[in-house]
């Protein structure tokens, strides 16, 4: 490069810098393409269901379109477009994502939905002891009705709450069933004195067929609905007993130390 | 963070200036985003007030006020410069303050023609009154005389409000949820609120202000953030009414003309990074939610609110200037500087 050309370029680059420096207080508004949409809000009447569940999705912003898949695949604008409540009649994970011509798409939200086996449909359910009068749920039979409570246990009345060393659920089927595992749908909300059981034992034909333990919590965590799965030796039976054995006392680190914890259950699934 | 991405984009545009048409075309194809609803709509300046973090760092940007000279005063809990003062364009004017590790609440009051600041420090467990340039003129320690507290640790004040007669109200939003009422000299006159069931009690009494919109009838607006409610009390501490804002975890109320502005730190179920800004009209109805879903009232009740756009992370305070532009300070948002919203 000739020195004169280099000098000329230097001159212009300095000139350019002084121009841009003089403009530094000018406001540059942010373009829409800088921002992502928030994820769509998905609500479902029941994440567990016997026949079908109804799912709705929403992101109330002009120009937003929500797309979804039912097979776990990535959601694009070539996926199915949401236009109204979706009816689901098999276990699957719904993935949804919001799109907009001006904004970046949202993160994908995934919602697993579970169709329950009909094995327990005609079972007779008994629970000992009785649920606490403040949290009676809808009675023992509601443990197999597929209707779940929400993490806000004071809303609705699907949760059965207990303060007892042992809660025993017995199921008598109308015909023999092959059992491979059972799932308890329970609530953990240590801040509200609601704890997971210490262990769960499953008896088939009067014999211990499965047992699972959970460690004692060491700090308050967020409220969460949990599925506790207990594998069972593959058994054919027309009756089951499920014993939830609770902690005797709330642990010492907790404000409720020394008193019995609560145990909350809203559903029992036979797999 | 988003801000860095944006700076990078604009740097590319500027350095590519000589290359001409392509870059300018690209620039022109950008669409300025406009957020908010009804008459309260805004363009965004993400770059406002960004400083060299090596010299003027922030941790949480907790609150902002505008002083009598039109300057924008930011309070951060970074003890290298607790107070950062900008002009309205975001240019740095000055910084001060190294002794407010828990700097949280910032209220400006004009007394005898002079600006004073009331800083609540939830680490020092006290309220500090300073001149606008940082000279301490009064300290309100934990209110032992109230009989409600066994030790200073239980008192974690988050906000102050100053009445026309100079009386000082302090909200113990992270402590025992009481509202202290002092006279201007700092003598405790009354204590009300506290934790409990019922509308006269609080869960996270995070913000407080004097509602001066009804001339001759000033009253208090106090946040119950965990309850998604704004509660109205008389200056004597009598509970009057509740404004329900389901899904909106509101910080302090800020009165400007006929409106109440509230930074909304979380929304929906209270998940991380779900904030937006809430604006109430003279009837205390949510009319605009920049960054949030469209506010809809059904049978007089607000449908639960949630975030629609990922613009804000955790808005903690809103400052409104004379042109009704907003300055949004954010808590726990990657140590970013405030965001300015220009009213359109």
């Amino acid at each position: 490069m000739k020195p004169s050309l280099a000098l000329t370029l230097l001159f212009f680059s300095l000139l350019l810098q002084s121009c841009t420096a003089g403009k530094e207080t000018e406001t540059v508004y942010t373009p829409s393409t800088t921002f992502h949409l928030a994820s769509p809000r998905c609500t479902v009447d029941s994440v567990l269901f016997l026949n079908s569940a109804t799912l709705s999705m929403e992101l109330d912003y002009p120009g937003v379109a929500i797309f979804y898949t039912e097979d776990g695949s990535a959601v694009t604008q070539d996926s199915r477009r949401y236009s109204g409540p979706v009816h689901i009649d098999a276990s699957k994970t719904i993935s949804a994502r919001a799109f907009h011509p001006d904004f970046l798409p949202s993160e994908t939200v995934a919602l697993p939905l579970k169709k329950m086996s009909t094995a327990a449909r005609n079972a007779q359910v008994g629970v000992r002891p009785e649920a606490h009068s403040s949290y009676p749920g809808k009675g023992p039979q509601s443990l197999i009705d597929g209707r779940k409570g929400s993490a806000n246990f004071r809303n609705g009345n699907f949760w059965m709450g207990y303060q007892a060393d042992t809660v025993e659920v017995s199921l008598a089927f109308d015909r023999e069933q092959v059992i491979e595992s059972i799932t308890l749908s329970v609530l953990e909300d240590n801040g509200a004195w609601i704890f997971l059981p210490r262990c769960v034992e499953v008896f088939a034909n009067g014999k211990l067929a499965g047992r699972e333990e959970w460690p004692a919590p060491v700090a308050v965590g967020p409220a969460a609905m949990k599925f506790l799965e207990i594998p069972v030796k593959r058994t054919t039976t027309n009756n089951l007993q499920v014993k939830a054995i609770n902690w005797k006392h709330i642990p010492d680190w907790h404000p409720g130390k020394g008193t019995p914890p609560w145990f909350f259950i809203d559903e029992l699934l036979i797999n | 963070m988003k801000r860095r991405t944006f700076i990078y984009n604009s740097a590319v545009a500027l350095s590519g200036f000589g290359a001409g048409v392509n870059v300018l075309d690209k620039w022109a194809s950008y669409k300025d985003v406009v957020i908010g609803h009804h008459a309260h709509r805004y363009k965004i300046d993400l770059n406002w007030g960004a400083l060299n973090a090596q010299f003027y760092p922030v941790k949480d940007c907790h609150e902002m006020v505008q002083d009598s000279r039109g300057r924008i005063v930011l309070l951060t809990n970074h003890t290298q410069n607790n107070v950062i003062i900008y002009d309205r364009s975001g240019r740095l004017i000055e910084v001060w303050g190294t002794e407010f590790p828990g700097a949280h609440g910032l209220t400006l009051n004009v007394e005898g023609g002079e600006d004073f600041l009331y800083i609540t420090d939830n680490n020092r467990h006290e309220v500090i009154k300073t001149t606008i340039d940082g000279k301490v003129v009064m300290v309100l320690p934990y209110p032992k005389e109230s009989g409600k507290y066994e030790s200073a640790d239980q008192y974690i004040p988050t906000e102050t409000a100053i009445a026309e007669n100079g009386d000082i109200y302090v909200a113990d939003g992270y402590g025992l949820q009481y509202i202290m009422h002092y006279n201007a000299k700092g003598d405790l006159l009354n204590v009300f609120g506290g934790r409990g069931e019922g509308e006269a009690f609080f869960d996270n009494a995070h913000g407080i202000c004097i509602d001066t919109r009804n001339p001759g009838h000033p009253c208090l607006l106090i946040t119950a953030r965990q309850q998604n409610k704004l509660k109205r009390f008389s200056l004597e501490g009598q509970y009057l009414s509740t404004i329900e804002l389901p899904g909106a975890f509101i910080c302090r109320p800020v009165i400007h003309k006929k409106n109440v502005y509230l930074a909304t730190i979380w929304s929906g179920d209270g998940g991380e990074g779900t904030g937006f800004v809430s604006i109430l009209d003279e009837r205390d109805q949510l009319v605009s939610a920049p960054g949030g879903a469209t506010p809809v009232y059904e049978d007089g009740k607000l449908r639960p609110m949630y975030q629609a756009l990922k613009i804000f992370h955790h808005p903690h305070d809103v400052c409104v200037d004379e042109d009704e532009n907003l300055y949004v300070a954010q808590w726990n948002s990657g140590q970013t500087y405030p965001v300015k919203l220009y009213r359109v």
Side-chain angles (χ1 to χ4, degrees):
Chain A
M1 189 186 283
K2 286 183 193 166
S4 61
L5 179 59
L7 275 173
T8 312
L9 279 176
L10 180 64
F11 172 76
F12 277 108
S13 71
L14 284 173
L15 186 69
L16 182 61
Q17 271 184 25
S18 65
C19 288
T20 54
K23 281 187 174 179
E24 73 182 353
T25 58
E26 192 172 291
T27 302
V28 179
Y29 298 118
T30 312
S32 55
T33 45
T34 306
F35 301 114
H36 287 267
L37 295 170
S39 296
R41 286 168 66 83
C42 298
T43 47
V44 63
D45 54 353
S46 187
V47 296
L48 298 174
F49 58 91
L50 271 177
N51 299 313
S52 69
T54 304
L55 175 76
S56 37
M57 308 177 197
E58 169 184 336
L59 188 68
D60 191 352
Y61 195 87
V64 163
I66 299 172
F67 293 82
Y68 67 98
T69 62
E70 297 187 16
D71 59 0
S73 63
V75 185
T76 69
Q77 292 183 83
D78 296 327
S79 305
R80 191 174 298 178
R81 182 171 175 164
Y82 179 80
S83 59
V86 180
H87 300 283
I88 309 291
D89 58 8
S91 292
K92 57 179 67 166
T93 295
I94 302 290
S95 306
R97 201 173 173 201
F99 292 84
H100 190 286
D102 295 342
F103 298 97
L104 300 172
S106 76
E107 286 181 6
T108 301
V109 53
L111 191 66
L113 301 169
K114 192 161 180 171
K115 182 166 182 169
M116 303 187 306
S117 129
T118 55
R121 183 185 277 176
N122 296 318
Q124 289 299 311
V125 186
V127 187
R128 286 188 311 182
E130 275 190 31
H132 192 278
S133 57
S134 300
Y135 305 103
K138 299 221 188 267
Q141 212 62 35
S142 72
L143 286 181
I144 55 167
D145 70 354
R147 307 293 301 277
K148 273 193 61 56
S150 71
N152 184 349
F153 60 90
R154 293 184 184 89
N155 280 356
N157 46 5
F158 296 109
W159 291 107
M160 296 167 70
Y162 297 87
Q163 267 187 316
D165 287 351
T166 303
V167 176
E168 185 177 332
V169 182
S170 53
L171 294 132
F173 306 116
D174 57 347
R175 55 195 158 84
E176 295 217 311
Q177 303 287 346
V178 181
I179 314 283
E180 290 178 334
S181 73
I182 67 147
T183 303
L184 300 189
S185 168
V186 300
L187 181 65
E188 183 175 31
D189 187 357
N190 298 342
W193 302 25
I194 302 167
F195 286 71
L196 298 186
R198 183 167 62 81
C199 81
V200 171
E201 294 176 345
V202 180
F203 297 84
N205 299 316
K207 282 191 284 193
L208 186 66
R211 188 174 196 277
E212 202 69 20
E213 290 190 19
W214 292 271
V218 293
V220 171
M225 295 185 289
K226 301 224 160 145
F227 291 119
L228 304 181
E229 178 146 355
I230 300 104
V232 171
K233 266 182 272 174
R234 191 178 157 91
T235 313
T236 305
T237 181
N238 60 9
N239 69 84
L240 268 187
Q241 288 79 43
V242 180
K243 280 188 195 174
I245 299 159
N246 296 310
W247 299 96
K248 290 256 187 296
H249 306 294
I250 288 176
D252 283 348
W253 55 264
H254 191 283
K257 66 178 177 184
T259 58
W262 286 90
F263 168 66
F264 270 56
I265 180 167
D266 67 349
E267 207 64 31
L268 195 155
L269 306 173
I270 311 295
N271 308 311
Chain B
M1 294 297 297
K2 304 272 162 48
R3 181 188 301 285
R4 291 222 179 81
T5 317
F6 178 68
I7 291 170
Y8 175 73
N9 285 345
S10 52
V12 169
L14 286 176
S15 65
F17 185 76
V21 183
N22 277 340
V23 170
L24 286 176
D25 272 358
K26 191 169 186 328
W27 194 250
S29 72
Y30 282 161
K31 195 188 241 176
D32 294 343
V33 64
V34 177
I35 56 170
H37 307 92
H38 300 108
H40 292 271
R41 293 173 184 267
Y42 305 88
K43 287 192 177 186
I44 304 170
D45 181 3
L46 282 186
N47 217 20
W48 189 90
L51 301 173
N52 184 328
Q54 194 182 342
F55 299 102
Y56 308 106
V58 292
K59 278 163 82 178
D60 303 302
C61 288
H62 272 140
E63 296 205 342
M64 301 178 88
V65 294
Q66 189 176 25
D67 74 6
S68 296
R69 285 188 276 167
R71 307 182 308 168
I72 306 296
V73 183
L74 167 68
L75 183 70
T76 174
N77 51 354
H78 201 299
T79 52
Q80 190 168 317
N81 41 231
N82 285 121
V83 173
I84 300 178
I85 302 180
Y86 296 98
D87 71 11
R88 289 189 304 152
S89 73
R91 204 193 305 257
L92 177 67
I93 297 174
E94 60 171 312
V95 300
W96 57 262
T98 57
E99 291 171 355
F100 306 101
H104 185 279
L106 180 68
T107 303
L108 184 141
N109 194 46
V110 183
E111 299 168 16
E114 187 182 351
D115 288 353
F116 290 93
L117 297 174
Y118 292 78
I119 296 171
T120 49
D121 190 310
N122 54 29
N123 188 298
R124 288 171 53 173
H125 308 285
E126 54 195 15
V127 175
I128 304 99
K129 177 181 178 181
T130 74
T131 60
I132 195 67
D133 53 4
K135 200 173 88 200
V136 174
V137 293
M138 183 167 71
V139 175
L140 292 173
Y142 94 91
K144 194 176 183 178
E145 66 274 32
S146 69
K148 304 286 189 190
Y149 296 85
E150 286 163 11
S151 66
D153 296 358
Q154 295 178 316
Y155 179 63
I156 311 172
T158 49
E159 193 60 75
T160 57
I162 316 299
E164 199 177 2
N165 66 359
D167 282 8
I168 304 160
Y169 294 85
V170 184
D172 182 15
Y174 288 145
L176 300 186
Q177 309 298 318
Y178 290 105
I179 310 297
M180 310 302 147
H181 177 185
Y182 299 90
N183 66 17
K185 291 184 292 182
D187 304 317
L188 187 65
L189 304 178
N190 187 21
V191 181
F192 58 96
R195 214 180 279 282
E197 299 283 331
E199 289 297 329
F201 300 96
F202 294 96
D203 187 357
N204 198 187
H206 190 273
I208 184 168
C209 78
I210 313 279
D211 187 351
T212 51
R213 290 177 297 167
N214 185 0
H217 300 91
C219 56
L220 294 164
L221 284 177
I222 309 171
T223 313
R225 192 167 77 183
Q226 282 301 116
Q227 299 167 323
N228 300 170
K229 290 176 180 183
L230 190 56
K231 298 182 177 183
R232 189 180 297 281
F233 280 73
S234 73
L235 296 183
E236 293 72 42
Q238 287 296 310
Y239 167 78
L240 299 174
S241 59
T242 297
I243 302 161
E244 309 263 357
L245 296 165
F249 292 72
I250 45 173
C251 294
R252 77 153 148 188
V254 175
I255 305 283
H256 184 87
K257 295 184 182 167
K258 292 286 178 197
N259 295 103
V260 187
Y261 296 77
L262 302 127
T264 303
I265 193 163
W266 303 292
S267 65
D269 300 329
E272 292 294 293
T274 55
F276 58 86
V277 175
S278 295
I279 304 169
L280 312 184
D281 66 8
E282 63 271 32
R283 295 177 302 136
D284 297 327
Q285 297 230 318
L286 185 64
V287 283
S288 181
T294 311
V296 178
Y297 282 84
E298 287 169 344
D299 301 328
K301 285 189 172 165
L302 179 65
R303 279 183 62 188
M305 287 296 295
Y306 55 89
Q307 187 187 53
L309 295 170
K310 294 254 163 224
I311 293 169
F312 300 108
H313 204 60
H314 294 131
H316 193 274
D317 192 29
V318 186
C319 173
V320 190
D321 73 15
E322 60 271 37
D323 297 326
E324 302 193 356
N325 299 322
L326 310 184
Y327 305 81
V328 183
Q330 300 197 87
W331 167 81
N332 187 18
S333 298
Q335 305 184 354
T336 51
Y337 296 86
V339 173
K340 183 170 182 177
L341 302 184
Y342 284 85
R343 190 156 182 189
V344 294

